[in-house]
Amino acid sequence: FTVSVASEFGAGTLRTLLLVDPHRLRVVAGKVLALAAFAAAGFLLAEIAATATAFLFAQIRGISTTHWISGEGVRAWISAYGDTTLAGLAWGLAGAAIGVIFRTVPLALAVAVAWFFPFENILHTTWAGADRWFPGLLFQGLGAGTGGALSWGRAGLMITVYLAALIAIAATTLTRRDIA
């Protein structure tokens, strides 16, 4: 999401798109929604492929799969897809917002990667409460289906607040800066 959105500025394609439709927020929101739909479909295909592979290898090894197709097994499958998709979309929305704010692929990637991976994880090893506050660690907990150190609902609320703030900053940046 970061590369796709930030490259629109660097390549000048956003400027060209805005000649057709001058509503900046609508154009970028449409792009992000298309990316989100593509990601959700990709997660679904990956889960279907993983499930088919698991069934195949279970049959080869003689492992019973009757619980997998029970109501509880199907609920777990849907829950896993939902958790993975929500976490992936949270990562994607954060990345898209960072791409809009920084407008160049190298800088946006440097900021996103440096913040979410080494910085947050280093803090997590030195401060036990970091996974209750930092967005990347919250995204990881959401993807695991547990919410991490927080309940699923509280983690979802914190993630919503972080994403709303990032999107508001990105929207303000998008509407107030010139697009050269």
Side-chain angles (χ1 to χ4, degrees):
F1 282 56
T2 305
V3 171
S4 182
V5 171
S7 66
E8 293 282 347
F9 292 95
T13 52
L14 182 63
R15 183 178 58 238
T16 305
L17 286 172
L18 293 174
L19 291 173
V20 176
D21 184 357
H23 300 95
R24 296 176 182 195
L25 291 176
R26 184 169 52 196
V27 170
V28 173
K31 178 177 183 67
V32 172
L33 284 173
L35 287 169
F38 184 74
F43 288 134
L44 182 60
L45 289 175
E47 184 140 354
I48 290 169
T51 302
T53 304
F55 271 102
L56 176 70
F57 281 96
Q59 294 302 318
I60 291 171
R61 295 203 165 229
I63 298 171
S64 173
T65 59
T66 56
H67 294 296
W68 297 5
I69 56 175
S70 69
E72 187 178 324
V74 172
R75 277 191 296 281
W77 190 88
I78 292 169
S79 177
Y81 170 73
D83 292 337
T84 303
T85 301
L86 286 175
L89 294 179
W91 282 109
L93 289 174
I98 291 168
V100 168
I101 293 166
F102 291 101
R103 295 183 175 211
T104 64
V105 173
L107 183 57
L109 280 177
V111 168
V113 169
W115 176 266
F116 287 124
F117 298 109
F119 181 73
E120 286 190 9
N121 286 299
I122 289 169
L123 280 177
H124 182 54
T125 60
T126 58
W127 175 39
D131 56 351
R132 297 176 181 270
W133 296 103
F134 289 103
L137 297 172
L138 290 169
F139 297 163
Q140 290 175 25
L142 184 65
T146 62
L150 302 175
S151 68
W152 198 96
R154 168 119 185 195
L157 177 64
M158 293 284 293
I159 289 168
T160 301
V161 169
Y162 278 122
L163 289 177
L166 266 174
I167 290 168
I169 293 167
T172 302
T173 301
L174 182 64
T175 57
R176 296 188 183 222
R177 269 202 231 161
D178 285 339
I179 297 177

